[in-house]
């Protein structure tokens, strides 16, 4: 899908949205499950790298789809964008799944270090050298483009867990290190869903006939795929925690702006501030203890630079790499030098950037600098419904989206 690293800017996200919107109705509903390969004329939008970094907002994509096709006409596309919102809310309210995933990665690395056969099987999979040509193709496609079609992600994860019998967390880690849209919520929870850890008794089982049909005959792995799968037992159901509430914020002359790669449109939240200091911080390497692909880091870096350019301040600093030895103290020193005692930032949801913020906060506090996170209305409104399955979420989200679109008056078509 992306032969070169796509442009990580707000205008580039808007341009891709504009090009896609004529196809967000019936074309998308009809063709979205087909993966025609990186060179193919796919019906999906490939908007995820921009949506993931909030170089494009969910509501911008949804509003544009409704304006062109009506809510009914673009319902499939809108639902898919809402899957993103749903997963974000779901993880935010159960951050334990993120922390358990990180622990599962560490545990799996420990197993690999002790078990030569497992280490060899993992290497074979990561090299795209298995006896399943479809799987090998997707390994290389992901490495070379930073993108996989949703259906390919489902088949890949299912084969990883149930045929290659590799630890699911290491597959999720491979995705998170290579996907331009690598997202702690969508990725961790989708892998859990495939592995049968999300909906008890319902793992996702990839089948050759389905792969053959939806790749239009490009692949037919036949008997090589294991379909005799037993659902894991004893799936945990952690209690549901709170959802972030709206925050009253005010910028004073000593309030700076902190931009993270989780929200690269701060001006749409805070307006054009008269900032004494704007700092952009990069947390891409916090995604994993393993190496993150250069194109993933480059995309986030360019997005941060774009956000810095859109949000001028008396001083502009960054992007500062928070994984570098002096990254955290560099932020504190910049804030102190600019006389800033508070850094406003768009709310950072559970995941690697929030982990980096948890390390940054005490460093800032040592110099009396506070970080204040402000959630977006979209998240405050929708995340409370991320309590059970997606369809319950959608039941709550649809009327709110209708209301947004003007009491459903835009709806046309079916
Ligand atoms: C194992 C696995 C891992 C995944 N990891 C990620 C990830 O790290 N980051 C990520 O953004 N998505 C992830 N997804 C969800 C989905 O595959 C991608 O969002 C989608 O393929 C992106 O391509 P697109 O922009 O062309 O999607 P489109 O079909 O054009 O959808 C439009 C937008 O809706 C959202 N969306 C669509 N489908 C989903 C979905 N199932 N879950 C959540 N959001 C969705 C995305 O923001 C996407 O850009 C994963 C799915 C699976 C099965």
């Amino acid at each position: 899908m992306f032969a070169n690293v796509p442009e990580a800017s707000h205008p580039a996200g808007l341009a891709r949205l504009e090009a896609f919107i004529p196809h967000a109705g019936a074309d998308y509903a009809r063709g979205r499950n087909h993966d025609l390969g990186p060179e193919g004329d796919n019906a999906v939008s490939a908007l995820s790298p921009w949506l993931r970094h909030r170089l494009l907002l969910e509501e911008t994509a949804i509003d544009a789809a409704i304006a062109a096709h009506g809510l009914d006409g673009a319902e499939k596309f809108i639902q898919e964008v809402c899957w993103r919102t749903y997963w974000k809310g779901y993880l935010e309210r159960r951050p334990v799944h993120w922390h358990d995933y990180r622990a599962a990665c560490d545990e799996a690395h420990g197993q690999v270090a002790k078990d030569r056969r497992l280490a060899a099987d993992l290497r074979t999979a990561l090299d795209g050298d298995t006896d399943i040509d479809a799987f090998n193709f997707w390994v290389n496609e992901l490495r070379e483009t930073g993108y996989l079609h949703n259906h390919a992600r489902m088949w890949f994860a299912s084969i990883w867990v149930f045929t290659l019998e590799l630890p699911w967390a290491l597959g999720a880690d491979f995705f998170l290190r290579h996907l331009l849209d690598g997202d702690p919520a969508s990725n961790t929870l989708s892998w859990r869903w495939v592995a049968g850890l999300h909906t008890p008794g319902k793992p996702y089982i990839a089948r050759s006939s389905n792969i053959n049909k939806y790749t239009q005959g490009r692949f037919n792995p036949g008997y090589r795929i294991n379909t005799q799968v037993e659902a894991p037992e004893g799936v945990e159901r952690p209690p549901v925690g709170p959802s972030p509430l709206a925050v009253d914020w005010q910028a004073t002359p000593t309030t700076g702006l902190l931009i993270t790669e989780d929200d690269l449109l701060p001006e749409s939240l805070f307006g054009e501030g008269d900032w004494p200091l704007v700092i952009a911080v990069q947390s891409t390497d916090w995604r994993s203890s393993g190496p993150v692909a250069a194109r993933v880091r480059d995309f986030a870096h360019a997005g941060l630079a774009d956000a810095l350019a859109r949000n001028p301040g008396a001083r502009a600093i960054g992007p500062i790499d928070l994984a570098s030895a002096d990254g955290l103290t560099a932020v504190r020193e910049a804030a102190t030098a600019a006389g800033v005692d508070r850094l406003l930032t768009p709310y950072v949801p559970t995941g690697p950037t929030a982990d980096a913020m948890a390390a940054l906060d005490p460093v800032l506090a040592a110099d009396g600098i506070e970080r204040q996170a402000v959630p977006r209305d979209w998240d405050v409104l929708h995340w409370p419904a991320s309590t059970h399955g997606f369809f319950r979420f959608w039941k709550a989200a649809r009327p709110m989206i209708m209301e947004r679109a003007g009491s459903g008056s835009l709806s046309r078509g079916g």
Side-chain angles (χ1 to χ4, degrees), residues 1 20 28 32 43-49 51-52 58 77 79-85 87 147-151 153-154 157 175-176 179 181-184 186-188 190-191 193-194:
M1 190 68 88
F20 169 72
Y28 181 83
R32 73 190 176 92
V44 290
S45 70
L47 282 167
S48 51
L51 287 166
R52 184 268 179 247
E58 285 111 304
F77 175 69
Q79 273 189 350
E80 293 307 314
V81 176
C82 281
W83 266 99
R84 175 185 159 74
T85 307
W87 283 137
Y147 178 87
L148 282 182
H149 185 283
N150 180 58
H151 228 155
R153 296 182 200 208
M154 290 160 61
F175 268 27
L176 204 53
L179 282 170
D181 63 35
D183 182 89
S186 293
N187 191 54
T188 312
S190 297
W191 273 87
W193 171 76
V194 169

Side-chain angles (χ1 to χ4, degrees), residues 303-340:
L304 285 160
D306 179 61
L308 264 182
R310 276 183 278 107
N311 291 274
R315 291 180 200 208
I317 308 256
I320 293 174
D321 184 358
L322 292 181
S324 69
D326 56 358
L328 301 174
T329 48
V331 179
R332 179 182 67 194
E333 283 163 13
T336 308
V340 157

Side-chain angles (χ1 to χ4, degrees), residues 100-114 118 167 169-170:
D100 283 356
Y101 155 68
R102 295 306 293 253
C105 284
D106 291 345
E107 195 186 319
H109 282 306
Q111 276 176 326
V112 170
K114 282 191 281 187
L118 178 61
L170 293 188

Side-chain angles (χ1 to χ4, degrees), residues 6-19:
E7 187 183 318
S9 74
H10 181 45
L14 287 175
R16 182 167 277 268
L17 176 66
E18 199 188 334

Side-chain angles (χ1 to χ4, degrees), residues 78-374:
I78 294 167
Q79 273 189 350
E80 293 307 314
V81 176
C82 281
W83 266 99
R84 175 185 159 74
T85 307
Y86 164 69
W87 283 137
K88 294 302 292 178
Y90 197 96
L91 189 65
E92 205 51 34
R93 308 195 62 190
R94 299 164 188 80
V96 66
H97 285 319
W98 171 250
H99 303 299
D100 283 356
Y101 155 68
R102 295 306 293 253
C105 284
D106 291 345
E107 195 186 319
H109 282 306
Q111 276 176 326
V112 170
K114 282 191 281 187
D115 182 338
R116 273 210 215 150
R117 176 143 179 224
L118 178 61
D121 289 350
L122 179 65
R123 198 62 271 153
T124 302
L126 293 177
D127 286 349
D129 211 10
T130 71
D131 63 352
I132 304 167
D133 59 350
F135 181 88
N136 299 340
F137 185 90
W138 296 320
V139 168
N140 292 319
E141 183 182 351
L142 177 56
R143 285 188 186 278
E144 284 162 22
T145 69
Y147 178 87
L148 282 182
H149 185 283
N150 180 58
H151 228 155
R153 296 182 200 208
M154 290 160 61
W155 298 319
F156 183 116
S158 182
I159 293 169
W160 179 281
V161 175
F162 300 120
T163 299
L164 304 177
E165 297 183 339
L166 292 167
W168 75 269
L170 293 188
D173 177 68
F174 179 59
F175 268 27
L176 204 53
R177 290 187 293 112
H178 288 275
L179 282 170
L180 291 171
D181 63 35
D183 182 89
S186 293
N187 191 54
T188 312
L189 298 172
S190 297
W191 273 87
R192 285 180 58 86
W193 171 76
V194 169
L197 301 171
H198 183 73
T199 316
K202 288 195 179 162
Y204 173 73
I205 304 169
R207 293 182 195 280
S208 289
S209 54
N210 184 264
I211 295 175
N212 191 245
K213 176 176 172 189
Y214 286 104
T215 58
Q216 289 200 326
R218 288 189 303 131
F219 300 110
N220 190 357
Y223 64 89
R224 290 185 194 84
I225 293 188
N226 176 27
T227 52
Q228 303 303 309
V229 171
E230 275 184 36
E233 286 176 7
V235 172
E236 272 178 62
R237 287 252 162 247
V240 183
S243 193
L245 302 172
V247 165
D248 267 340
W249 61 273
Q250 252 189 337
T252 70
T254 56
T255 305
L257 173 65
L258 182 75
I259 305 174
T260 73
E261 64 198 62
D262 281 31
D263 193 320
L264 294 172
L265 271 186
E267 70 276 22
S268 70
L269 181 59
F270 299 126
E272 284 181 19
D274 194 8
W275 308 106
L277 173 71
V278 180
I279 313 184
V281 290
Q282 179 151 18
S283 49
T284 322
D285 283 333
W286 286 70
R287 287 185 186 196
S288 171
S289 57
V292 176
R295 59 172 49 223
V296 172
R297 206 177 309 108
D298 291 351
F299 187 88
H301 193 273
L304 285 160
D306 179 61
L308 264 182
R310 276 183 278 107
N311 291 274
R315 291 180 200 208
I317 308 256
I320 293 174
D321 184 358
L322 292 181
S324 69
D326 56 358
L328 301 174
T329 48
V331 179
R332 179 182 67 194
E333 283 163 13
T336 308
V340 157
D341 58 14
R342 190 157 53 101
L343 286 168
L344 264 186
T345 190
Y347 186 87
V348 180
T350 299
T353 305
D355 293 345
M357 293 299 111
L360 177 63
D361 285 345
V363 174
L364 292 174
D367 264 10
I369 303 157
E370 178 205 0
R371 188 177 62 84
Q372 185 180 19
V374 179

